[in-house]
């Protein structure tokens, strides 16, 4: 009432209305996303204002692209997107877990329970679940040679939730090999050193890993070779084009000779740089049939291109700065910023450099490099939807492999962790909690079951039967997950279904925090200055 006096235009939702608005928003977002969870999840089609279509089952893409109006739902969506930014996966799980926490809380609140008591129970259950996760995780030793099979299992589990099975299995090898290619001992893994290049060409199963680099442009001179073997690679950041002076100056000449001399003087500086590159090429390529490739970050003008073409050099200009870093890691050598002290030690090496023309586009492939620490995943597909879907999936797969290497641990998947954590909370933790906070622990424990429930629902199985079977096995001391084909309990370790430890930890950390904040809201006031137009 006091707010009404201060601002008669304010919209106010009081206690139960505010709480139910938050609960309904969380449940609404959960209902939208839960059909996407797991390998049997469905696909959403997003249609933009201009009629452009995006097909995806990646929770992160959906939450970013959907236009969400409800402020509570926006808050949950932001939490889930932050989850993706931190650990690369688990967006859908975060949203359905928050939604389920709110749904379980609603039952207790409708019976007259105070939200604060529930929140205290959530906090106790969260701490206990995180301690249980530490005991439950499976350590993986990552020495100089990581266990490829474990990495493949983690990548396969992630990719199968985003793409159909046969393509996911093919991409698994690509993703694992890409991360191991760029991995250096004692250094953090920089996933930017894996270039994702796409070509609208052939089919999605033609996607492959190039141990080297694919550049999205070709040489600019018709006389340069389109294919060369045994190539020295010069990576440089040197301007090989005539640059106008920054000062406005006028020149007067009285005859044609003076003009010719002036033109020659203007070109002399650029020609000198080109001559030094040609000298280095003659030095390293004389007496053998090796080739020479210049990849420059800055421009190369037509006269310089012509000089290089006559010397038999393949030259590419205006390469991306990131590609300059990748080239040095892939081919060896070093990037030079000046041509004054060029030595053969600056040069990298590639067994094959060739150009691929696709319609209007040109692509240059640098392959057969000796000891690559950078690589390219070449994504192919017949249309833009397929390419975008594969790109999102590959990005998540790369993050999953990177997380496994950094965590040095994995967690059993297929809903096994959630059921085990639920049994632990109900059978052990609940007994140690006094008073009504027990109900909060119980609500948290039941909310954890949303993952196996949703997995079974999406596979067209009977949810009750599945949950009873899983609980029964866990009570007997067997750690089992859900077989999505038959609905029977399976051992995830035997099937090779593993989740990322860091993703699970992040979900358990962030879900209850947001749910608790939303439960403690007892009044929603829409009274900001810009929120209502003056009537």
């Amino acid at each position: 009432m006091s707010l009404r006096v201060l601002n008669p235009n304010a919209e106010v939702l009081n206690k139960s209305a505010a709480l139910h608005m938050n609960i309904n928003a969380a449940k609404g977002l959960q209902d939208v996303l839960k059909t996407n969870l797991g390998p049997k999840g469905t696909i959403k089609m997003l249609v933009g204002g201009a009629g452009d279509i995006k097909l995806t089952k990646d929770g992160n893409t959906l939450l970013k692209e959907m236009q969400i109006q409800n402020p509570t739902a926006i808050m949950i969506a932001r939490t889930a997107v932050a989850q993706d930014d931190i650990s690369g996966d688990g967006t859908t799980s975060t949203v359905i877990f928050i939604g389920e926490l709110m749904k379980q809380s609603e039952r207790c609140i409708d019976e007259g329970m105070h939200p604060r008591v529930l929140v205290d129970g959530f906090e106790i259950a969260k701490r206990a679940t995180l301690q249980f996760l530490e005991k439950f995780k499976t350590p993986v030793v990552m020495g100089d040679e990581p266990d490829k099979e474990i990495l493949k299992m983690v990548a396969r589990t992630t990719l199968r939730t985003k793409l159909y099975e046969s393509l996911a299995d093919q991409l698994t090898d690509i993703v694992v090999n890409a991360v191991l290619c760029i991995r250096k001992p004692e250094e953090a893994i920089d996933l930017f050193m894996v270039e994702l290049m796409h070509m609208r060409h052939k089919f999605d199963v033609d996607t492959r890993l190039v141990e080297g680099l694919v550049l999205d442009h070709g040489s600019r001179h018709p006389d340069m070779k389109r294919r060369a073997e045994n190539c020295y690679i010069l990576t440089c950041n040197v301007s090989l084009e005539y640059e106008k002076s920054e000062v406005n100056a006028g020149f007067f000449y009285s005859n044609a000779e003076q003009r010719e001399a002036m033109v020659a003087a203007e070109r002399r500086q650029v020609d000198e740089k080109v001559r030094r590159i040609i000298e280095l090429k003659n030095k390293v390529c004389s007496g053998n049939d090796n080739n020479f490739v210049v990849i420059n970050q800055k421009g190369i003008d037509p006269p310089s291109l012509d000089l290089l073409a006559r010397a038999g050099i393949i030259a590419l200009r205006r390469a991306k700065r990131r590609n300059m870093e990748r080239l040095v890691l892939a081919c060896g050598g070093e990037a030079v910023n000046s041509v004054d002290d060029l030595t053969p030690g600056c040069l990298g090496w590639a067994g094959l450099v060739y150009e691929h023309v696709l319609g209007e586009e040109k692509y240059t492939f640098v392959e057969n490099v000796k000891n690559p620490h950078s690589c390219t995943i070449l994504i192919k597909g017949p249309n833009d939807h397929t390419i975008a879907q594969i790109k999102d999936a590959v990005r998540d797969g790369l993050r999953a492999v990177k997380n496994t290497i950094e965590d040095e641990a994995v967690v059993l998947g297929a809903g096994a962790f959630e059921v085990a954590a639920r049994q632990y909370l109900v059978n052990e933790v609940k007994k140690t909690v006094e008073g009504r906070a027990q109900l909060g622990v119980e609500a948290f424990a039941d909310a954890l079951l949303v993952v196996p429930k949703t997995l079974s629902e999406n596979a067209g199985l009977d949810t009750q039967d599945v949950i009873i079977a899983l609980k029964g096995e866990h009570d007997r001391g067997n750690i089992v997950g859900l077989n999505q084909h038959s609905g029977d309990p399976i051992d995830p370790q035997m099937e090779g279904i593993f989740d990322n430890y860091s993703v699970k930890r992040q979900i358990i950390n962030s879900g209850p925090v947001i749910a608790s904040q939303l439960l403690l809201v007892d009044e929603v006031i829409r009274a900001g200055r810009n929120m209502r137009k003056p009537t």
Side-chain angles (χ1 to χ4, degrees):
M1 190 61 214
S2 51
L3 193 81
R4 281 261 174 265
V5 177
L6 296 174
N7 184 350
N9 285 337
E11 279 181 28
V12 182
L13 286 178
N14 281 349
K15 294 204 174 169
S16 60
L19 195 55
H20 281 97
M21 182 196 93
N22 285 343
I23 290 171
N24 289 334
K27 279 159 56 177
L29 200 57
Q30 178 192 10
D31 288 342
V32 171
L33 284 192
K34 75 176 182 184
T35 52
N36 291 15
L37 188 75
K40 299 267 185 177
T42 50
I43 292 175
K44 297 273 186 285
M45 181 192 280
L46 294 173
V47 183
D52 47 327
I53 292 171
K54 191 159 197 178
L55 295 168
T56 183
K57 59 186 286 197
D58 181 27
N60 180 41
T61 311
L62 271 172
L63 292 171
K64 276 184 177 169
E65 304 275 340
M66 277 195 306
Q67 284 193 338
I68 302 170
Q69 302 277 318
N70 186 297
T72 310
I74 290 171
M75 185 174 162
I76 296 170
R78 281 186 185 151
T79 310
V81 170
Q83 155 89 22
D84 190 273
D85 293 342
I86 293 165
S87 48
D89 205 359
T91 28
T92 312
S93 306
T94 305
V95 170
I96 64 171
F97 182 45
I98 293 171
E100 192 65 19
L101 281 170
M102 300 298 276
K103 204 184 273 184
Q104 297 293 339
S105 308
E106 187 179 27
R107 281 206 337 242
C108 300
I109 289 165
D110 287 347
E111 289 168 8
M113 189 170 175
H114 195 281
R116 170 54 72 189
V117 182
L118 269 175
V119 168
D120 292 343
F122 282 178
E123 188 56 38
I124 294 165
K126 181 180 106 173
R127 282 203 303 272
T129 311
L130 287 170
Q131 284 167 4
F132 177 70
L133 178 63
E134 291 299 322
K135 287 189 286 185
F136 187 83
K137 69 181 183 184
T138 311
V140 181
V141 179
M142 292 288 165
D144 292 340
E145 288 293 319
D147 183 355
K148 244 184 176 180
E149 284 311 308
I150 285 277
L151 297 180
K152 279 183 186 174
M153 288 172 190
V154 175
R156 192 182 299 120
T157 307
T158 300
L159 289 169
R160 278 190 182 178
T161 63
K162 312 268 188 286
L163 301 164
Y164 63 90
E165 209 165 285
S166 55
L167 178 59
D169 292 353
Q170 184 191 336
L171 287 177
T172 299
D173 288 339
I174 292 174
V175 163
V176 171
N177 290 335
V179 175
L180 293 180
C181 170
I182 61 166
R183 179 176 180 257
K184 291 180 181 174
E186 311 300 321
E187 277 186 42
I189 296 171
D190 181 7
L191 289 181
F192 280 114
M193 290 302 113
V194 178
E195 164 83 316
L196 295 183
M197 179 63 67
H198 61 268
M199 291 168 79
R200 221 162 89 188
H201 181 47
K202 293 191 177 175
F203 299 106
D204 46 12
V205 288
D206 294 310
T207 298
R208 67 188 181 96
L209 177 70
V210 178
E211 289 205 334
L213 209 62
V214 181
L215 305 167
D216 54 358
H217 49 86
S219 59
R220 291 284 178 177
H221 196 283
D223 295 345
M224 286 180 180
K225 287 182 185 173
R226 295 286 172 262
R227 182 185 177 90
E229 294 179 3
N230 301 334
C231 306
Y232 287 107
I233 309 278
L234 175 63
T235 312
C236 56
N237 181 17
V238 178
S239 175
L240 294 177
E241 56 190 342
Y242 167 62
E243 291 172 6
K244 291 192 173 103
S245 62
E246 290 180 15
V247 182
N248 284 333
F251 295 97
F252 297 95
Y253 45 85
S254 52
N255 55 32
E257 284 80 19
Q258 285 179 354
R259 184 183 177 282
E260 286 297 318
M262 189 183 76
V263 170
E266 276 182 341
R267 291 281 328 158
R268 192 181 302 134
Q269 194 181 2
V270 181
D271 290 349
E272 181 62 26
K273 289 180 190 171
V274 175
R275 191 180 57 74
R276 287 194 175 155
I277 292 171
I278 294 170
E279 273 176 13
L280 180 65
K281 184 257 176 185
N282 294 337
K283 186 173 170 186
V284 294
C285 294
S286 59
N288 55 37
D289 58 352
N290 292 347
N291 288 293
F292 198 89
V293 179
V294 175
I295 299 175
N296 193 13
Q297 192 177 332
K298 292 202 171 110
I300 307 176
D301 60 10
S304 304
L305 279 171
D306 197 50
L307 287 170
L308 292 167
R310 278 191 222 153
I313 295 174
I314 300 170
L316 281 81
R317 64 185 183 190
R318 305 209 186 284
K320 290 189 295 197
R321 188 181 66 81
R322 274 268 180 221
N323 279 343
M324 307 309 276
E325 293 175 37
R326 292 183 185 124
L327 264 169
V328 172
L329 285 168
C331 305
E334 55 193 61
V336 295
N337 292 316
S338 139
V339 291
D340 293 341
D341 44 2
L342 287 179
T343 62
C346 306
L347 300 174
W349 174 265
L352 178 64
V353 175
Y354 64 95
E355 193 175 288
H356 183 101
V357 181
L358 194 65
E360 303 270 307
E361 303 280 329
K362 283 184 179 180
Y363 297 88
T364 303
F365 288 71
V366 180
E367 290 191 48
N368 299 355
V369 292
K370 280 178 181 166
N371 187 17
H373 283 296
S374 175
C375 56
T376 302
I377 296 177
L378 184 63
I379 296 168
K380 292 188 179 182
N383 52 47
D384 291 338
H385 317 308
T386 313
I387 290 169
Q389 213 175 339
I390 296 173
K391 217 170 189 176
D392 288 339
V394 165
R395 210 168 269 132
D396 284 0
L398 290 169
R399 295 281 284 277
V401 177
K402 173 179 182 264
N403 287 344
T404 309
I405 292 173
E406 289 178 351
D407 296 340
E408 298 198 345
V410 289
V411 177
L412 294 176
F417 166 71
E418 284 78 6
V419 181
R422 191 250 173 207
Q423 300 301 82
Y424 172 72
L425 288 174
V426 171
N427 298 338
E428 295 184 32
V429 178
K430 194 178 155 193
K431 294 171 187 168
T432 65
V433 179
E434 293 178 6
R436 287 186 298 169
Q438 281 188 7
L439 294 169
V441 174
E442 199 173 324
F444 188 97
D446 289 339
L448 282 170
L449 289 182
V450 71
V451 172
K453 271 184 193 168
T454 309
L455 287 172
S456 63
E457 213 173 288
N458 290 349
L461 303 166
D462 186 296
T463 310
Q464 276 81 9
D465 286 352
V466 165
I467 294 297
I468 289 166
L470 289 177
K471 280 183 188 171
E473 286 291 335
H474 277 266
D475 285 338
R476 289 188 210 99
N478 303 325
I479 292 171
V480 293
L482 164 69
N483 181 339
Q484 288 215 300
H485 301 291
S486 64
D488 300 328
I490 51 160
D491 181 357
Q493 193 146 11
M494 299 304 290
E495 298 290 322
I497 303 170
F498 291 104
D499 287 333
N500 274 139
Y501 162 73
S502 55
V503 172
K504 283 277 183 251
R505 195 183 64 215
Q506 188 66 24
I507 292 169
I508 294 162
N509 259 321
S510 59
V513 171
I514 295 296
S516 303
Q517 285 179 338
L518 294 177
L519 286 172
L520 293 176
V521 170
D522 71 340
E523 207 158 0
V524 176
I525 303 157
R526 187 177 285 225
R529 286 185 178 170
N530 301 329
M531 290 210 183
R532 278 183 72 102
K533 294 185 177 74
T535 48

